[in-house]
Amino acid sequence: KRVAILISGGGSNMVSLVDSMTKDHPARPCLVLSNDAQAGGLKKAADRGIPTAVVDHRPFKGDRSAFEAELLKPLQEAQPDIVCLAGFMRVLTADFVSRFQGRMLNIHPSLLPKYKGLNTHARAIQAGDSEHGCSVHEVTAALDDGPILGQARVPIQADDTPESLAARVLAWEHKLYPEVLRRFAEGNRSPVLLP
Ligand code: GRF
C-alpha cells in the first residue's frame, strides 16, 4: 500500500508513521506534502528519502477549491492508496475528501467526539476533565468527524498546562497513529485503544 502524508509543520507524526513502515509493514510512504514551504517536516522527509511537495495555500486566499485543485496534482502523481493527515492544518472541502473517501485518516488531539477543532488541551483543562487524549479517525466531510479508528487516553494532572498536556498527548499520538495505519493497511478496522 502506498501512503501519502500531509503536514503543515514539524511533522513529528509523519516521522513516527514513516519510521513505523519497515520492511515487514504492508505500507510504504510515497509522498510527504505540505501547504507550507517552511514546514520542518519537509527536511525530515527528504532526509528519509521520501519525495516531497509543497502547495502553498496563501496565494489562493479564500479560494479553497483552487488551492485543492493544485494540492491534488502531486497526490495524483504519487497515486497513494491511503492518505494520512498528520498535523495538517487546513480544512478540506467535501469534494476533496470525497476523492479519498474511506482511505483518508486524520489524527486529532482529543478524545473525539469531544473537543473538535482547535485548542483542545486548554479546553479539556478548562472543563476540569480528568482525562484527555488523541483520536485517529476516517476523514469525512464534517470536521474532525468520521469513524474512530483508534484512541489513546491520557490523564490530566493537577499542575498541567496546555503545553505540558499537549506534550504528553503528542507522545501518545506517535504510538497510536502507526498502530492504526498498520491495521488499516491490513484491512483491519477494529479500533486501537491505548494504553
Ligand atoms: C500537534 O498539535 C498534534 O497534536 C496535531 O498536530 C500538531 C503538530 O503535529 N496532530 P506534528 O508534530 O506536525 O505531527
Side-chain angles (χ1 to χ4, degrees), residues 18-42:
V18 165
D19 290 352
S20 76
M21 288 186 260
T22 52
K23 276 189 314 301
D24 64 308
H25 197 289
R28 285 285 171 282
C30 64
L31 173 69
V32 170
L33 173 56
S34 177
N35 64 297
D36 182 344
Q38 306 308 315
L42 288 166

mmCIF file with all atom_site columns, all heavy atoms in Angstrom, residues 18-42:
data_model
loop_
_atom_site.group_PDB
_atom_site.id
_atom_site.type_symbol
_atom_site.label_atom_id
_atom_site.label_alt_id
_atom_site.label_comp_id
_atom_site.label_asym_id
_atom_site.label_entity_id
_atom_site.label_seq_id
_atom_site.pdbx_PDB_ins_code
_atom_site.Cartn_x
_atom_site.Cartn_y
_atom_site.Cartn_z
_atom_site.occupancy
_atom_site.B_iso_or_equiv
_atom_site.pdbx_formal_charge
_atom_site.auth_seq_id
_atom_site.auth_comp_id
_atom_site.auth_asym_id
_atom_site.auth_atom_id
_atom_site.pdbx_PDB_model_num
ATOM 1   N N   . VAL A 1 18 ? 6.368  7.230  9.159  1.00 0.00 ? 18 VAL A N   1
ATOM 2   C CA  . VAL A 1 18 ? 7.396  6.786  8.206  1.00 0.00 ? 18 VAL A CA  1
ATOM 3   C C   . VAL A 1 18 ? 8.302  5.743  8.847  1.00 0.00 ? 18 VAL A C   1
ATOM 4   O O   . VAL A 1 18 ? 8.558  4.676  8.278  1.00 0.00 ? 18 VAL A O   1
ATOM 5   C CB  . VAL A 1 18 ? 8.210  8.001  7.707  1.00 0.00 ? 18 VAL A CB  1
ATOM 6   C CG1 . VAL A 1 18 ? 9.505  7.572  7.024  1.00 0.00 ? 18 VAL A CG1 1
ATOM 7   C CG2 . VAL A 1 18 ? 7.356  8.850  6.759  1.00 0.00 ? 18 VAL A CG2 1
ATOM 8   N N   . ASP A 1 19 ? 8.762  6.034  10.074 1.00 0.00 ? 19 ASP A N   1
ATOM 9   C CA  . ASP A 1 19 ? 9.694  5.115  10.745 1.00 0.00 ? 19 ASP A CA  1
ATOM 10  C C   . ASP A 1 19 ? 9.029  3.799  11.117 1.00 0.00 ? 19 ASP A C   1
ATOM 11  O O   . ASP A 1 19 ? 9.712  2.799  11.351 1.00 0.00 ? 19 ASP A O   1
ATOM 12  C CB  . ASP A 1 19 ? 10.309 5.792  11.979 1.00 0.00 ? 19 ASP A CB  1
ATOM 13  C CG  . ASP A 1 19 ? 11.279 6.913  11.580 1.00 0.00 ? 19 ASP A CG  1
ATOM 14  O OD1 . ASP A 1 19 ? 11.564 7.047  10.361 1.00 0.00 ? 19 ASP A OD1 1
ATOM 15  O OD2 . ASP A 1 19 ? 11.740 7.655  12.465 1.00 0.00 ? 19 ASP A OD2 1
ATOM 16  N N   . SER A 1 20 ? 7.687  3.779  11.161 1.00 0.00 ? 20 SER A N   1
ATOM 17  C CA  . SER A 1 20 ? 6.997  2.511  11.504 1.00 0.00 ? 20 SER A CA  1
ATOM 18  C C   . SER A 1 20 ? 6.857  1.615  10.274 1.00 0.00 ? 20 SER A C   1
ATOM 19  O O   . SER A 1 20 ? 6.606  0.417  10.394 1.00 0.00 ? 20 SER A O   1
ATOM 20  C CB  . SER A 1 20 ? 5.597  2.816  12.061 1.00 0.00 ? 20 SER A CB  1
ATOM 21  O OG  . SER A 1 20 ? 4.704  3.174  11.003 1.00 0.00 ? 20 SER A OG  1
ATOM 22  N N   . MET A 1 21 ? 6.996  2.194  9.075  1.00 0.00 ? 21 MET A N   1
ATOM 23  C CA  . MET A 1 21 ? 6.793  1.421  7.833  1.00 0.00 ? 21 MET A CA  1
ATOM 24  C C   . MET A 1 21 ? 8.089  0.711  7.427  1.00 0.00 ? 21 MET A C   1
ATOM 25  O O   . MET A 1 21 ? 8.699  1.023  6.427  1.00 0.00 ? 21 MET A O   1
ATOM 26  C CB  . MET A 1 21 ? 6.264  2.331  6.726  1.00 0.00 ? 21 MET A CB  1
ATOM 27  C CG  . MET A 1 21 ? 4.807  2.729  6.964  1.00 0.00 ? 21 MET A CG  1
ATOM 28  S SD  . MET A 1 21 ? 4.101  3.665  5.581  1.00 0.00 ? 21 MET A SD  1
ATOM 29  C CE  . MET A 1 21 ? 4.243  5.329  6.237  1.00 0.00 ? 21 MET A CE  1
ATOM 30  N N   . THR A 1 22 ? 8.440  -0.290 8.249  1.00 0.00 ? 22 THR A N   1
ATOM 31  C CA  . THR A 1 22 ? 9.655  -1.071 7.972  1.00 0.00 ? 22 THR A CA  1
ATOM 32  C C   . THR A 1 22 ? 9.341  -2.148 6.931  1.00 0.00 ? 22 THR A C   1
ATOM 33  O O   . THR A 1 22 ? 8.217  -2.259 6.456  1.00 0.00 ? 22 THR A O   1
ATOM 34  C CB  . THR A 1 22 ? 10.110 -1.753 9.280  1.00 0.00 ? 22 THR A CB  1
ATOM 35  O OG1 . THR A 1 22 ? 8.986  -2.453 9.809  1.00 0.00 ? 22 THR A OG1 1
ATOM 36  C CG2 . THR A 1 22 ? 10.572 -0.723 10.303 1.00 0.00 ? 22 THR A CG2 1
ATOM 37  N N   . LYS A 1 23 ? 10.351 -2.957 6.608  1.00 0.00 ? 23 LYS A N   1
ATOM 38  C CA  . LYS A 1 23 ? 10.228 -3.948 5.525  1.00 0.00 ? 23 LYS A CA  1
ATOM 39  C C   . LYS A 1 23 ? 8.976  -4.828 5.645  1.00 0.00 ? 23 LYS A C   1
ATOM 40  O O   . LYS A 1 23 ? 8.260  -5.048 4.686  1.00 0.00 ? 23 LYS A O   1
ATOM 41  C CB  . LYS A 1 23 ? 11.458 -4.864 5.489  1.00 0.00 ? 23 LYS A CB  1
ATOM 42  C CG  . LYS A 1 23 ? 12.640 -4.296 4.726  1.00 0.00 ? 23 LYS A CG  1
ATOM 43  C CD  . LYS A 1 23 ? 13.769 -5.323 4.535  1.00 0.00 ? 23 LYS A CD  1
ATOM 44  C CE  . LYS A 1 23 ? 14.093 -6.097 5.808  1.00 0.00 ? 23 LYS A CE  1
ATOM 45  N NZ  . LYS A 1 23 ? 14.499 -5.240 6.924  1.00 0.00 ? 23 LYS A NZ  1
ATOM 46  N N   . ASP A 1 24 ? 8.686  -5.295 6.900  1.00 0.00 ? 24 ASP A N   1
ATOM 47  C CA  . ASP A 1 24 ? 7.587  -6.264 7.082  1.00 0.00 ? 24 ASP A CA  1
ATOM 48  C C   . ASP A 1 24 ? 6.207  -5.587 7.015  1.00 0.00 ? 24 ASP A C   1
ATOM 49  O O   . ASP A 1 24 ? 5.182  -6.251 7.025  1.00 0.00 ? 24 ASP A O   1
ATOM 50  C CB  . ASP A 1 24 ? 7.732  -6.935 8.446  1.00 0.00 ? 24 ASP A CB  1
ATOM 51  C CG  . ASP A 1 24 ? 7.575  -5.909 9.564  1.00 0.00 ? 24 ASP A CG  1
ATOM 52  O OD1 . ASP A 1 24 ? 8.276  -4.878 9.522  1.00 0.00 ? 24 ASP A OD1 1
ATOM 53  O OD2 . ASP A 1 24 ? 6.711  -6.124 10.439 1.00 0.00 ? 24 ASP A OD2 1
ATOM 54  N N   . HIS A 1 25 ? 6.198  -4.268 6.939  1.00 0.00 ? 25 HIS A N   1
ATOM 55  C CA  . HIS A 1 25 ? 4.932  -3.496 7.016  1.00 0.00 ? 25 HIS A CA  1
ATOM 56  C C   . HIS A 1 25 ? 4.231  -3.540 5.661  1.00 0.00 ? 25 HIS A C   1
ATOM 57  O O   . HIS A 1 25 ? 4.891  -3.526 4.618  1.00 0.00 ? 25 HIS A O   1
ATOM 58  C CB  . HIS A 1 25 ? 5.276  -2.051 7.394  1.00 0.00 ? 25 HIS A CB  1
ATOM 59  C CG  . HIS A 1 25 ? 4.125  -1.246 7.894  1.00 0.00 ? 25 HIS A CG  1
ATOM 60  N ND1 . HIS A 1 25 ? 3.095  -0.821 7.077  1.00 0.00 ? 25 HIS A ND1 1
ATOM 61  C CD2 . HIS A 1 25 ? 3.825  -0.799 9.129  1.00 0.00 ? 25 HIS A CD2 1
ATOM 62  C CE1 . HIS A 1 25 ? 2.237  -0.133 7.801  1.00 0.00 ? 25 HIS A CE1 1
ATOM 63  N NE2 . HIS A 1 25 ? 2.647  -0.082 9.043  1.00 0.00 ? 25 HIS A NE2 1
ATOM 64  N N   . PRO A 1 26 ? 2.889  -3.613 5.646  1.00 0.00 ? 26 PRO A N   1
ATOM 65  C CA  . PRO A 1 26 ? 2.128  -3.659 4.382  1.00 0.00 ? 26 PRO A CA  1
ATOM 66  C C   . PRO A 1 26 ? 2.104  -2.341 3.628  1.00 0.00 ? 26 PRO A C   1
ATOM 67  O O   . PRO A 1 26 ? 1.598  -2.267 2.521  1.00 0.00 ? 26 PRO A O   1
ATOM 68  C CB  . PRO A 1 26 ? 0.709  -4.038 4.832  1.00 0.00 ? 26 PRO A CB  1
ATOM 69  C CG  . PRO A 1 26 ? 0.611  -3.608 6.248  1.00 0.00 ? 26 PRO A CG  1
ATOM 70  C CD  . PRO A 1 26 ? 1.988  -3.762 6.820  1.00 0.00 ? 26 PRO A CD  1
ATOM 71  N N   . ALA A 1 27 ? 2.653  -1.268 4.184  1.00 0.00 ? 27 ALA A N   1
ATOM 72  C CA  . ALA A 1 27 ? 2.591  0.044  3.534  1.00 0.00 ? 27 ALA A CA  1
ATOM 73  C C   . ALA A 1 27 ? 3.967  0.686  3.410  1.00 0.00 ? 27 ALA A C   1
ATOM 74  O O   . ALA A 1 27 ? 4.905  0.329  4.124  1.00 0.00 ? 27 ALA A O   1
ATOM 75  C CB  . ALA A 1 27 ? 1.664  0.970  4.334  1.00 0.00 ? 27 ALA A CB  1
ATOM 76  N N   . ARG A 1 28 ? 4.032  1.622  2.428  1.00 0.00 ? 28 ARG A N   1
ATOM 77  C CA  . ARG A 1 28 ? 5.282  2.364  2.193  1.00 0.00 ? 28 ARG A CA  1
ATOM 78  C C   . ARG A 1 28 ? 4.922  3.827  1.986  1.00 0.00 ? 28 ARG A C   1
ATOM 79  O O   . ARG A 1 28 ? 3.939  4.123  1.301  1.00 0.00 ? 28 ARG A O   1
ATOM 80  C CB  . ARG A 1 28 ? 5.939  1.872  0.897  1.00 0.00 ? 28 ARG A CB  1
ATOM 81  C CG  . ARG A 1 28 ? 6.615  0.543  0.955  1.00 0.00 ? 28 ARG A CG  1
ATOM 82  C CD  . ARG A 1 28 ? 7.953  0.602  1.679  1.00 0.00 ? 28 ARG A CD  1
ATOM 83  N NE  . ARG A 1 28 ? 8.467  -0.751 1.899  1.00 0.00 ? 28 ARG A NE  1
ATOM 84  C CZ  . ARG A 1 28 ? 8.024  -1.556 2.868  1.00 0.00 ? 28 ARG A CZ  1
ATOM 85  N NH1 . ARG A 1 28 ? 7.058  -1.159 3.678  1.00 0.00 ? 28 ARG A NH1 1
ATOM 86  N NH2 . ARG A 1 28 ? 8.513  -2.756 3.018  1.00 0.00 ? 28 ARG A NH2 1
ATOM 87  N N   . PRO A 1 29 ? 5.732  4.763  2.517  1.00 0.00 ? 29 PRO A N   1
ATOM 88  C CA  . PRO A 1 29 ? 5.448  6.183  2.249  1.00 0.00 ? 29 PRO A CA  1
ATOM 89  C C   . PRO A 1 29 ? 5.810  6.525  0.806  1.00 0.00 ? 29 PRO A C   1
ATOM 90  O O   . PRO A 1 29 ? 6.888  6.146  0.333  1.00 0.00 ? 29 PRO A O   1
ATOM 91  C CB  . PRO A 1 29 ? 6.349  6.922  3.230  1.00 0.00 ? 29 PRO A CB  1
ATOM 92  C CG  . PRO A 1 29 ? 7.476  5.973  3.525  1.00 0.00 ? 29 PRO A CG  1
ATOM 93  C CD  . PRO A 1 29 ? 6.911  4.588  3.404  1.00 0.00 ? 29 PRO A CD  1
ATOM 94  N N   . CYS A 1 30 ? 4.918  7.205  0.101  1.00 0.00 ? 30 CYS A N   1
ATOM 95  C CA  . CYS A 1 30 ? 5.216  7.563  -1.306 1.00 0.00 ? 30 CYS A CA  1
ATOM 96  C C   . CYS A 1 30 ? 5.302  9.069  -1.525 1.00 0.00 ? 30 CYS A C   1
ATOM 97  O O   . CYS A 1 30 ? 5.789  9.534  -2.551 1.00 0.00 ? 30 CYS A O   1
ATOM 98  C CB  . CYS A 1 30 ? 4.150  6.972  -2.224 1.00 0.00 ? 30 CYS A CB  1
ATOM 99  S SG  . CYS A 1 30 ? 2.495  7.632  -1.964 1.00 0.00 ? 30 CYS A SG  1
ATOM 100 N N   . LEU A 1 31 ? 4.827  9.871  -0.552 1.00 0.00 ? 31 LEU A N   1
ATOM 101 C CA  . LEU A 1 31 ? 4.855  11.328 -0.695 1.00 0.00 ? 31 LEU A CA  1
ATOM 102 C C   . LEU A 1 31 ? 4.631  12.001 0.656  1.00 0.00 ? 31 LEU A C   1
ATOM 103 O O   . LEU A 1 31 ? 3.827  11.522 1.458  1.00 0.00 ? 31 LEU A O   1
ATOM 104 C CB  . LEU A 1 31 ? 3.738  11.781 -1.657 1.00 0.00 ? 31 LEU A CB  1
ATOM 105 C CG  . LEU A 1 31 ? 3.506  13.294 -1.802 1.00 0.00 ? 31 LEU A CG  1
ATOM 106 C CD1 . LEU A 1 31 ? 4.679  13.953 -2.529 1.00 0.00 ? 31 LEU A CD1 1
ATOM 107 C CD2 . LEU A 1 31 ? 2.195  13.559 -2.558 1.00 0.00 ? 31 LEU A CD2 1
ATOM 108 N N   . VAL A 1 32 ? 5.370  13.082 0.905  1.00 0.00 ? 32 VAL A N   1
ATOM 109 C CA  . VAL A 1 32 ? 5.052  13.976 2.022  1.00 0.00 ? 32 VAL A CA  1
ATOM 110 C C   . VAL A 1 32 ? 4.748  15.327 1.408  1.00 0.00 ? 32 VAL A C   1
ATOM 111 O O   . VAL A 1 32 ? 5.574  15.885 0.684  1.00 0.00 ? 32 VAL A O   1
ATOM 112 C CB  . VAL A 1 32 ? 6.210  14.068 3.042  1.00 0.00 ? 32 VAL A CB  1
ATOM 113 C CG1 . VAL A 1 32 ? 5.952  15.190 4.060  1.00 0.00 ? 32 VAL A CG1 1
ATOM 114 C CG2 . VAL A 1 32 ? 6.371  12.732 3.774  1.00 0.00 ? 32 VAL A CG2 1
ATOM 115 N N   . LEU A 1 33 ? 3.558  15.841 1.665  1.00 0.00 ? 33 LEU A N   1
ATOM 116 C CA  . LEU A 1 33 ? 3.038  17.039 1.003  1.00 0.00 ? 33 LEU A CA  1
ATOM 117 C C   . LEU A 1 33 ? 2.682  18.076 2.063  1.00 0.00 ? 33 LEU A C   1
ATOM 118 O O   . LEU A 1 33 ? 2.009  17.746 3.049  1.00 0.00 ? 33 LEU A O   1
ATOM 119 C CB  . LEU A 1 33 ? 1.792  16.645 0.189  1.00 0.00 ? 33 LEU A CB  1
ATOM 120 C CG  . LEU A 1 33 ? 0.940  17.703 -0.485 1.00 0.00 ? 33 LEU A CG  1
ATOM 121 C CD1 . LEU A 1 33 ? 1.766  18.582 -1.418 1.00 0.00 ? 33 LEU A CD1 1
ATOM 122 C CD2 . LEU A 1 33 ? -0.199 17.003 -1.243 1.00 0.00 ? 33 LEU A CD2 1
ATOM 123 N N   . SER A 1 34 ? 3.149  19.318 1.862  1.00 0.00 ? 34 SER A N   1
ATOM 124 C CA  . SER A 1 34 ? 2.877  20.368 2.849  1.00 0.00 ? 34 SER A CA  1
ATOM 125 C C   . SER A 1 34 ? 2.244  21.591 2.193  1.00 0.00 ? 34 SER A C   1
ATOM 126 O O   . SER A 1 34 ? 2.506  21.888 1.027  1.00 0.00 ? 34 SER A O   1
ATOM 127 C CB  . SER A 1 34 ? 4.182  20.800 3.547  1.00 0.00 ? 34 SER A CB  1
ATOM 128 O OG  . SER A 1 34 ? 3.904  21.866 4.460  1.00 0.00 ? 34 SER A OG  1
ATOM 129 N N   . ASN A 1 35 ? 1.452  22.314 2.944  1.00 0.00 ? 35 ASN A N   1
ATOM 130 C CA  . ASN A 1 35 ? 0.883  23.587 2.480  1.00 0.00 ? 35 ASN A CA  1
ATOM 131 C C   . ASN A 1 35 ? 1.789  24.754 2.859  1.00 0.00 ? 35 ASN A C   1
ATOM 132 O O   . ASN A 1 35 ? 1.458  25.914 2.609  1.00 0.00 ? 35 ASN A O   1
ATOM 133 C CB  . ASN A 1 35 ? -0.508 23.812 3.099  1.00 0.00 ? 35 ASN A CB  1
ATOM 134 C CG  . ASN A 1 35 ? -0.430 23.961 4.615  1.00 0.00 ? 35 ASN A CG  1
ATOM 135 O OD1 . ASN A 1 35 ? -0.026 23.015 5.296  1.00 0.00 ? 35 ASN A OD1 1
ATOM 136 N ND2 . ASN A 1 35 ? -0.785 25.122 5.139  1.00 0.00 ? 35 ASN A ND2 1
ATOM 137 N N   . ASP A 1 36 ? 2.947  24.428 3.475  1.00 0.00 ? 36 ASP A N   1
ATOM 138 C CA  . ASP A 1 36 ? 3.870  25.472 3.929  1.00 0.00 ? 36 ASP A CA  1
ATOM 139 C C   . ASP A 1 36 ? 5.313  25.079 3.606  1.00 0.00 ? 36 ASP A C   1
ATOM 140 O O   . ASP A 1 36 ? 5.809  24.074 4.113  1.00 0.00 ? 36 ASP A O   1
ATOM 141 C CB  . ASP A 1 36 ? 3.699  25.669 5.450  1.00 0.00 ? 36 ASP A CB  1
ATOM 142 C CG  . ASP A 1 36 ? 4.588  26.782 5.991  1.00 0.00 ? 36 ASP A CG  1
ATOM 143 O OD1 . ASP A 1 36 ? 5.547  27.198 5.289  1.00 0.00 ? 36 ASP A OD1 1
ATOM 144 O OD2 . ASP A 1 36 ? 4.335  27.235 7.123  1.00 0.00 ? 36 ASP A OD2 1
ATOM 145 N N   . ALA A 1 37 ? 5.970  25.880 2.776  1.00 0.00 ? 37 ALA A N   1
ATOM 146 C CA  . ALA A 1 37 ? 7.345  25.571 2.346  1.00 0.00 ? 37 ALA A CA  1
ATOM 147 C C   . ALA A 1 37 ? 8.321  25.577 3.524  1.00 0.00 ? 37 ALA A C   1
ATOM 148 O O   . ALA A 1 37 ? 9.383  24.959 3.464  1.00 0.00 ? 37 ALA A O   1
ATOM 149 C CB  . ALA A 1 37 ? 7.802  26.584 1.302  1.00 0.00 ? 37 ALA A CB  1
ATOM 150 N N   . GLN A 1 38 ? 7.933  26.252 4.620  1.00 0.00 ? 38 GLN A N   1
ATOM 151 C CA  . GLN A 1 38 ? 8.809  26.319 5.799  1.00 0.00 ? 38 GLN A CA  1
ATOM 152 C C   . GLN A 1 38 ? 8.587  25.156 6.766  1.00 0.00 ? 38 GLN A C   1
ATOM 153 O O   . GLN A 1 38 ? 9.231  25.089 7.803  1.00 0.00 ? 38 GLN A O   1
ATOM 154 C CB  . GLN A 1 38 ? 8.555  27.640 6.573  1.00 0.00 ? 38 GLN A CB  1
ATOM 155 C CG  . GLN A 1 38 ? 8.677  28.894 5.710  1.00 0.00 ? 38 GLN A CG  1
ATOM 156 C CD  . GLN A 1 38 ? 9.981  28.930 4.961  1.00 0.00 ? 38 GLN A CD  1
ATOM 157 O OE1 . GLN A 1 38 ? 11.041 28.654 5.528  1.00 0.00 ? 38 GLN A OE1 1
ATOM 158 N NE2 . GLN A 1 38 ? 9.939  29.195 3.647  1.00 0.00 ? 38 GLN A NE2 1
ATOM 159 N N   . ALA A 1 39 ? 7.689  24.249 6.421  1.00 0.00 ? 39 ALA A N   1
ATOM 160 C CA  . ALA A 1 39 ? 7.389  23.148 7.355  1.00 0.00 ? 39 ALA A CA  1
ATOM 161 C C   . ALA A 1 39 ? 8.657  22.336 7.644  1.00 0.00 ? 39 ALA A C   1
ATOM 162 O O   . ALA A 1 39 ? 9.297  21.807 6.719  1.00 0.00 ? 39 ALA A O   1
ATOM 163 C CB  . ALA A 1 39 ? 6.310  22.248 6.772  1.00 0.00 ? 39 ALA A CB  1
ATOM 164 N N   . GLY A 1 40 ? 8.975  22.213 8.943  1.00 0.00 ? 40 GLY A N   1
ATOM 165 C CA  . GLY A 1 40 ? 10.188 21.481 9.320  1.00 0.00 ? 40 GLY A CA  1
ATOM 166 C C   . GLY A 1 40 ? 10.141 20.017 8.910  1.00 0.00 ? 40 GLY A C   1
ATOM 167 O O   . GLY A 1 40 ? 11.167 19.379 8.689  1.00 0.00 ? 40 GLY A O   1
ATOM 168 N N   . GLY A 1 41 ? 8.946  19.482 8.767  1.00 0.00 ? 41 GLY A N   1
ATOM 169 C CA  . GLY A 1 41 ? 8.801  18.075 8.384  1.00 0.00 ? 41 GLY A CA  1
ATOM 170 C C   . GLY A 1 41 ? 9.312  17.771 6.989  1.00 0.00 ? 41 GLY A C   1
ATOM 171 O O   . GLY A 1 41 ? 9.673  16.617 6.694  1.00 0.00 ? 41 GLY A O   1
ATOM 172 N N   . LEU A 1 42 ? 9.402  18.777 6.126  1.00 0.00 ? 42 LEU A N   1
ATOM 173 C CA  . LEU A 1 42 ? 9.832  18.527 4.742  1.00 0.00 ? 42 LEU A CA  1
ATOM 174 C C   . LEU A 1 42 ? 11.274 18.013 4.701  1.00 0.00 ? 42 LEU A C   1
ATOM 175 O O   . LEU A 1 42 ? 11.588 17.052 3.989  1.00 0.00 ? 42 LEU A O   1
ATOM 176 C CB  . LEU A 1 42 ? 9.689  19.808 3.910  1.00 0.00 ? 42 LEU A CB  1
ATOM 177 C CG  . LEU A 1 42 ? 8.250  20.204 3.577  1.00 0.00 ? 42 LEU A CG  1
ATOM 178 C CD1 . LEU A 1 42 ? 8.194  21.637 3.060  1.00 0.00 ? 42 LEU A CD1 1
ATOM 179 C CD2 . LEU A 1 42 ? 7.644  19.227 2.571  1.00 0.00 ? 42 LEU A CD2 1
#
